[in-house]
């Protein structure tokens, strides 16, 4: 009988423990559901806040863009109505002061540079709106007379094209075409004007005409070792330089 009583007590205690465990599990599950619900509410509130912020920023951007378009349209209309010309001067231009003088080829010639120093040609071509006129065959026959005329022209024009790209100066190369039976087929390189003298006219005469055609004050440099050409262009205000000067400069391109 005592054993049966102990067994009943043990069974009762087990039932009690099970009941308590079930109650605790139910409480935990209930709390978990409550926390999940609150988490869902928080996530929904956060997403709603983000959406509202995006919509609010979009509205502000739209209003700002509309305001900017309105100002730009009003400015364009005012410009058309007033017919204002483009501004060509700046406030600093109205100040009364002395400006430095502009250098000319003669000023550069007065510097202590050798007539065969390539730096002299660089300085001349660095002048604003400089124009380099080249006595083509005079240069090629000074530098590489053993080559055929066609290859002489191509070599010189290739070097002048690179020099034009480096300096930005206008370049004209004149070849003697007085004895040509037909025009030379040639694709001028970028940045170089190629001219042939007409029948009965020498390249020297074309070079002098080019020098005289330039307005006074424009930097014009003529490359030729021909003394008659050099003297003629100098009278027109151009700066003559020797062919060897150009050849040395082209050897660096």
């Amino acid at each position: 009988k005592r054993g049966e009583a102990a067994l009943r007590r043990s069974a009762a205690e087990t039932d009690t423990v099970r009941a308590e465990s079930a109650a605790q599990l139910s409480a935990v599950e209930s709390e978990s559901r409550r926390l999940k619900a609150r988490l869902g509410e928080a996530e929904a509130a956060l997403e709603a806040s983000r959406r509202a912020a995006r919509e609010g920023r979009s509205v502000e951007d739209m209003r700002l863009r509309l305001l900017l378009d309105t100002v730009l349209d009003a400015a364009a209309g005012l410009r058309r109505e007033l017919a204002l010309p483009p501004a060509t001067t700046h406030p600093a231009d109205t100040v009364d002061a002395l400006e430095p003088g502009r250098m000319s080829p003669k000023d550069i010639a007065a510097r202590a540079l050798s007539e065969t120093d390539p730096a002299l040609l660089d300085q001349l071509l660095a002048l604003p709106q400089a124009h380099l006129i080249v006595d083509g065959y005079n240069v090629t026959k000074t530098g590489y007379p053993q080559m055929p005329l066609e290859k002489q022209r191509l070599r010189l024009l290739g070097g002048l094209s690179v020099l034009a790209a480096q300096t930005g100066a206008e370049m004209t190369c004149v070849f003697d075409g007085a004895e040509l039976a037909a025009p030379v087929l040639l694709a001028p390189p970028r940045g170089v004007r190629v001219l042939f003298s007409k029948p009965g006219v020498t390249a020297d005469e074309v070079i002098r005409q080019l020098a005289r055609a330039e307005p006074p004050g424009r930097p014009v440099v003529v490359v030729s070792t021909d003394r008659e050409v050099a003297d003629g262009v100098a009278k027109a205000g151009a700066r003559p330089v020797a062919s060897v000067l150009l050849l040395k400069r082209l050897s660096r391109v």
Side-chain angles (χ1 to χ4, degrees), residues 5-211:
L7 183 60
R8 285 194 294 272
R9 285 195 301 272
S10 177
E13 292 175 357
T14 301
D15 292 339
T16 301
V17 171
R18 287 177 178 175
E20 292 176 353
S21 297
Q24 292 177 357
L25 179 60
S26 177
V28 169
E29 291 176 348
S30 177
E31 182 65 17
S32 176
R33 287 193 295 272
R34 188 179 66 83
L35 292 177
K36 287 181 179 180
R38 293 188 60 183
L39 179 60
E41 293 173 357
E43 290 177 346
L46 178 60
E47 179 60 27
S49 176
R50 289 175 177 173
R51 185 168 54 253
R54 287 195 300 269
E55 292 175 354
R57 187 173 62 182
S58 178
V59 171
E60 290 300 323
D61 290 346
M62 178 189 64
R63 295 176 62 187
L64 181 60
R65 178 57 186 268
L66 182 60
L67 177 60
L68 179 60
D69 289 343
T70 302
V71 172
L72 292 177
D73 291 344
L78 184 61
R79 184 183 295 112
R80 288 193 301 269
E81 182 177 350
L82 297 178
L84 295 176
T88 57
T89 60
H90 297 83
D93 296 329
T94 63
V95 177
D96 186 16
L98 294 177
E99 295 185 356
R102 298 183 180 274
M103 294 189 67
S104 69
K106 293 182 179 179
D107 297 324
I108 292 180
R111 294 187 172 186
L113 285 176
S114 169
E115 288 293 321
T116 58
D117 187 349
L120 174 62
L121 186 59
D122 287 332
Q123 291 187 4
L124 291 170
L125 296 182
L127 293 172
Q129 298 297 320
H131 184 186
L132 181 70
I133 302 174
V134 180
D135 188 349
Y137 287 137
N138 185 277
V139 174
T140 62
K141 292 180 180 180
T142 300
Y144 23 88
Q146 72 284 357
M147 299 176 64
L149 291 182
E150 180 181 2
K151 291 187 177 180
Q152 289 184 23
R153 291 192 297 265
L154 293 177
R155 179 171 176 177
L156 174 59
L157 294 177
L160 290 177
S161 178
V162 176
L163 185 61
Q166 291 176 344
T167 63
E170 179 182 356
M171 298 202 177
T172 302
C173 187
V174 182
F175 293 103
D176 197 344
E179 299 180 359
L180 292 176
V184 175
L185 299 179
L186 177 68
R190 182 183 297 273
V192 182
R193 181 187 298 106
V194 182
L195 300 176
F196 287 87
S197 61
K198 293 182 178 180
V201 181
T202 65
D204 298 351
E205 295 175 20
V206 175
I207 292 172
R208 286 191 289 268
Q209 291 175 12
L210 288 169

Side-chain angles (χ1 to χ4, degrees), residues 117-120 122 162 166 246-253:
D117 187 349
L120 174 62
D122 287 332
V162 176
Q166 291 176 344
L246 177 61
L247 290 168
K248 286 185 176 182
R249 178 60 181 84
L250 293 182
S251 66
R252 291 165 33 195
V253 300

